Amino acid sequence: MHRRLKRIHEQYNDLLSVSLAGLQLRNPTMLASGFLGISQDVFNRLYRMGAGGIVSKSISIEPIEGYRNPTVFSLEESSYINAVGLANPGAEAFSREIASNRNVPIIVSLVGSSDNEFPSMIKKFDGLNILGYEINLSCPHVAKMGMEVGDDPEMVCAIIKKIKSNTHKPIIIKVGIGSVDVVKIAQVAKDAGADAITAINTIRAMAIDIETMMPILNNRIGGLSGKSIKPVGVRSVYEISKNLGIPVIGCGGIFTWEDAVEFMLAGASAVQLGSVIGYKGLSAFTTITKGIKKYLERKGLKSAMEIVGLAHKY
Amino acid sequence: MPTNIDRIRSIVIEQIIEETPTVKTFVFKDEISSKAKPGQFLMVWIPRVEELPMSVMVSDKKGYAAITIRKHGFGSTALFNKRLGDLLGVRGPYGNQFKIDKESKKALLVGGGTGLVPLMRLTITLNQLNIDTTVIIGAKSKEEMFFEKQANDFLDKTKHNVIISTEDGTYGVRGYATDVMSIIVNKDKFDTVYTCGPELMMKKVVDIGLANSLSIQASLERYMKCGVGICASCCIGDQLVCKDGTVFNEKQLSTMIDFGRMYRDKSGRKVNFHM
Ligand SMILES: Cc1cc2nc3c(=O)[nH]c(=O)nc-3n(C[C@H](O)[C@H](O)[C@H](O)COP(=O)(O)O)c2cc1C
């Protein structure tokens, strides 16, 4: 009984709750897309474990099997290179998966190769109990999807306009490090009507096994995540948030509460946890949230929102 | 030597044992794998072909471990066809392990196919703890039966009984391993059943175990991409087989609605076991 009361109390803790683009989250930690993102039962567990919000695996109009293994492997310094190949159950099966969602703050990540694919997907999800959408325009290792779209400003604009005219829910655009500067793409997204930006996705990368002399990933090229990309993430959040004034969700190598606070100072209203889950498990949500709380108390602040973008002055 | 078990370690196939026409054991040197616990698995990299989760087999050589492969799909067939001296990569071992109740007096092991691998590692521990152990090995036919000798050897210091069942009756008892189980649980007082094998077999083992109030330890085998708890390909309900398992007990198993019913395919869609 006591524990349940405490949990409810934490849920509405003013100190930790954040709002951005019309979303209200009980704390700033969210699950990053592509991590444990296909099962409602697992979403329920993540929510019980303290996640403030949950972004699903990127969902496409049809199911995708993805590449053959190895699809993910680990590097030193708590980082992964992955080329899963956007494996996902497709919009129809996934909408059935989350149809029973009651109270979990789910954001559905969508991916597509042209603006025409989005309206029918939105139609499947819009009536469900979800907070909004994150649009993946930055997966670095699948042809004609993700970054290939994200590097094309006209397509980015067309997709956002199309989605906006099909839903009233907030849409978040997920950007990454492609051939067009991340700030420029965020600008295009903002102008086209995006409500917020998530930065950043994985960065194109590769590793070769020196004994067999062969690339490790089946797809050869994949995306780098984890600690090694954190400074790039902080830079991206700082520049987008400072220059464009659009709400930003920070992502990339967040492993500790210190990392989360750093992203928030750079301008992130919320943060997404991905790779840390592989190294530290689901308890990362509580550990990081507790750390942020202590930090805010130590600094004598009343709300997590107060630190968002504080470093912009410098 | 790398201490990070997530890094891919290069290994050389130093010995190949032909268990049956479709099953081989590869022995390789790897200190970390040699210390794997019963129930744990490795992610085995077949360069430029696949990466597969595989239970860690025992080797009698110090600092060595093994994997036992059944020729089946694309990846396992490529692995099966590897030769002496070929290079593979391994990461892990991952997952939890079989829990042995120290009070246990009489253990029952039910395994089929390569599901016998974690059970072989387990027999070594049961032998050390001097627990009376019965092993039921299920196979399609005499030709496809393996690990009978290993089971007897590994259990040499404790009271034991190794029963073979074949579906075609060419060796041992005719029928499924679970048919044998149904009969002997009524005759003998077992306290715990340990199982690994095809999920539909394990589902039956669990049902019989629950009906007879046995403690159950089942090591589940599911399709995996990452092996480290991030892709959710292997999830059953809210449990991740790679991280929370591979071994689950009777309490967990009896609440897993999808156990023995549905699994997730490569795309993450739920698929029925009986298609
Ligand atoms: C295995 C894996 C799968 C991913 N899948 C997706 C995806 O489907 N959609 C997406 O927008 N990002 C995906 N990402 C990127 C993450 O959401 C995140 O942006 C990136 O990993 C950086 O955060 P991190 O360092 O905390 O992991 C994936 C990353 C990994 C490692």
Side-chain angles (χ1 to χ4, degrees):
Chain A
M1 186 62 196
H2 195 71
R3 275 186 63 176
R4 184 180 297 165
L5 278 177
K6 204 173 143 204
R7 201 177 301 147
I8 289 168
H9 180 66
E10 260 172 22
Q11 200 160 324
Y12 298 101
N13 192 314
D14 288 339
L15 183 61
L16 283 169
S17 67
V18 292
S19 63
L20 72 145
L23 308 176
Q24 296 284 337
L25 305 177
R26 62 178 173 173
N27 71 58
T29 65
M30 300 166 73
L31 176 74
S33 179
F35 293 83
L36 304 176
I38 54 171
S39 154
Q40 179 69 43
D41 290 329
V42 175
F43 294 164
N44 295 342
R45 179 173 173 189
L46 285 158
Y47 191 58
R48 287 198 303 275
M49 295 295 288
I54 282 160
V55 184
S56 77
K57 174 72 194 170
S58 293
I59 302 297
S60 52
I61 195 158
E62 294 293 336
I64 299 179
E65 285 206 343
Y67 300 126
R68 214 176 262 289
N69 280 351
T71 46
V72 193
F73 70 93
S74 173
L75 302 168
E76 302 287 6
E77 301 304 329
S78 303
S79 300
Y80 293 109
I81 301 185
N82 93 84
V84 168
L86 288 173
N88 80 86
E92 175 59 34
F94 189 67
S95 64
R96 271 185 271 122
E97 177 81 35
I98 61 169
S100 61
N101 180 46
R102 307 247 321 262
N103 59 345
V104 179
I106 298 176
I107 290 163
V108 175
S109 171
L110 296 177
V111 68
S113 46
S114 90
D115 55 330
N116 294 327
E117 295 181 0
F118 290 91
S120 66
M121 289 200 276
I122 299 273
K123 214 169 173 180
K124 290 197 164 68
F125 292 109
D126 233 32
L128 303 181
N129 208 349
I130 62 166
L131 294 187
Y133 303 98
E134 185 179 88
I135 312 302
N136 176 2
L137 299 182
S138 45
C139 174
H141 53 75
V142 177
K144 302 204 172 55
M145 278 192 163
M147 192 46 102
E148 275 189 31
V149 173
D151 268 339
D152 178 349
E154 273 170 33
M155 184 60 95
V156 170
C157 183
I159 288 175
I160 295 168
K161 290 204 162 134
K162 192 62 143 284
I163 295 172
K164 269 282 156 192
S165 65
N166 279 276
T167 181
H168 296 297
K169 293 191 193 293
I171 77 159
I172 304 160
I173 300 301
K174 180 150 175 196
V175 296
I177 308 302
S179 58
V180 179
D181 184 59
V182 66
V183 185
K184 167 140 195 249
I185 290 298
Q187 175 79 60
V188 171
K190 185 189 174 195
D191 294 345
D195 298 288
I197 301 287
T198 296
I200 56 175
N201 210 313
T202 57
I203 302 174
R204 251 172 105 74
M206 183 177 193
I208 297 164
D209 177 65
I210 62 164
E211 290 305 320
T212 53
M213 307 177 178
M214 294 172 185
I216 295 175
L217 287 176
N218 213 296
N219 190 53
R220 300 171 189 85
I221 307 261
L224 180 64
S225 67
K227 278 190 184 171
S228 38
I229 69 166
K230 196 190 89 177
V232 185
V234 173
R235 184 277 292 184
S236 304
V237 169
Y238 178 88
E239 286 195 322
I240 294 168
S241 163
K242 183 171 175 172
N243 294 325
L244 310 184
I246 187 170
V248 180
I249 301 169
C251 181
I254 298 170
F255 272 60
T256 63
W257 67 262
E258 289 96 329
D259 296 336
V261 167
E262 187 180 347
F263 267 89
M264 294 179 82
L265 292 170
S269 309
V271 293
Q272 293 183 355
L273 310 184
S275 301
V276 64
I277 292 162
Y279 293 98
K280 308 232 172 112
L282 305 185
S283 60
F285 289 99
T286 10
T287 320
I288 291 175
T289 306
K290 273 189 191 149
I292 298 173
K293 183 163 178 256
K294 276 203 184 129
Y295 172 84
L296 296 171
E297 284 165 355
R298 175 157 61 80
K299 293 285 184 188
L301 301 168
K302 296 270 172 308
S303 159
M305 296 301 284
E306 287 182 51
I307 64 168
V308 175
L310 274 190
H312 290 174
K313 287 187 285 199
Y314 308 101
Chain B
M1 195 174 70
T3 46
N4 179 355
I5 61 160
D6 289 326
R7 288 294 307 270
I8 294 177
R9 311 185 289 280
S10 224
I11 54 136
V12 181
I13 304 171
E14 290 191 30
Q15 188 193 348
I16 298 181
I17 305 161
E18 298 199 7
E19 311 285 1
T20 81
T22 60
V23 178
K24 281 180 192 169
T25 297
F26 293 170
V27 182
F28 57 90
K29 187 169 179 183
D30 181 48
E31 197 68 40
I32 299 176
S33 304
S34 76
K35 295 189 180 119
K37 305 282 189 294
Q40 287 192 309
F41 67 96
L42 296 169
M43 290 299 287
V44 178
W45 180 43
I46 311 140
R48 298 314 308 151
V49 179
E50 249 294 2
E51 188 185 41
L52 301 171
M54 305 210 74
S55 291
V56 198
M57 183 53 193
V58 197
S59 164
D60 45 15
K61 284 189 267 186
K62 199 171 176 290
Y64 279 72
I67 47 174
T68 300
I69 307 111
R70 176 189 289 284
K71 187 163 98 173
H72 183 63
F74 174 83
S76 60
T77 302
L79 185 56
F80 183 87
N81 291 333
K82 286 281 170 190
R83 309 220 177 108
L84 224 54
D86 281 352
L87 285 174
L88 298 171
V90 295
R91 56 188 176 95
Y94 296 120
N96 66 0
Q97 54 177 303
F98 286 113
K99 255 213 204 107
I100 302 174
D101 184 354
K102 293 253 160 55
E103 308 287 285
S104 175
K105 297 256 162 1
K106 215 164 160 50
L108 176 63
L109 278 53
V110 185
T114 50
L116 288 162
V117 171
L119 298 179
M120 287 303 112
R121 218 165 241 283
L122 179 68
T123 56
I124 294 178
T125 318
L126 293 167
N127 195 43
Q128 284 160 359
L129 293 170
N130 202 16
I131 295 173
D132 180 348
T133 301
T134 298
V135 185
I136 307 173
I137 294 178
K140 283 212 156 52
S141 63
K142 178 174 186 188
E143 200 182 35
E144 284 302 326
M145 192 276 305
F146 59 99
F147 285 170
E148 181 185 18
K149 182 178 171 346
Q150 284 89 335
N152 279 303
D153 289 352
F154 293 152
L155 290 164
D156 60 350
K157 289 195 179 64
T158 189
K159 196 169 163 229
H160 66 278
N161 182 15
V162 177
I163 305 170
I164 313 296
S165 72
T166 53
E167 286 169 36
D168 65 358
T170 44
Y171 191 65
V173 187
R174 187 195 193 105
Y176 294 108
T178 46
D179 298 336
V180 177
M181 178 181 176
S182 305
I183 296 166
I184 66 170
V185 290
N186 288 320
K187 287 201 219 148
D188 263 323
K189 269 257 155 290
F190 294 100
D191 41 58
T192 311
V193 57
Y194 302 87
T195 183
C196 186
E199 193 159 314
L200 293 176
M201 180 207 85
M202 285 196 281
K203 170 78 178 139
K204 263 212 166 128
V205 171
V206 170
D207 289 344
I208 301 168
L210 289 172
N212 289 277
S213 314
L214 299 180
S215 298
I216 305 169
Q217 297 269 302
S219 170
L220 308 196
E221 300 183 328
R222 283 277 173 127
Y223 170 73
M224 290 175 190
K225 290 183 198 284
C226 74
V228 294
I230 62 179
C231 76
S233 299
C234 66
C235 73
I236 308 185
D238 69 359
Q239 298 292 298
L240 306 170
V241 171
C242 68
K243 259 250 151 96
D244 303 308
T246 62
V247 182
F248 295 97
N249 64 28
E250 68 281 354
K251 254 199 200 130
Q252 297 168 306
L253 292 159
S254 58
T255 60
M256 283 180 181
I257 296 162
D258 288 343
F259 172 61
R261 287 207 180 84
M262 314 263 253
Y263 64 97
R264 286 184 192 267
D265 68 8
K266 290 183 175 187
S267 75
R269 266 175 307 178
K270 279 191 182 178
V271 187
N272 222 302
F273 266 108
H274 319 265
M275 284 280 281

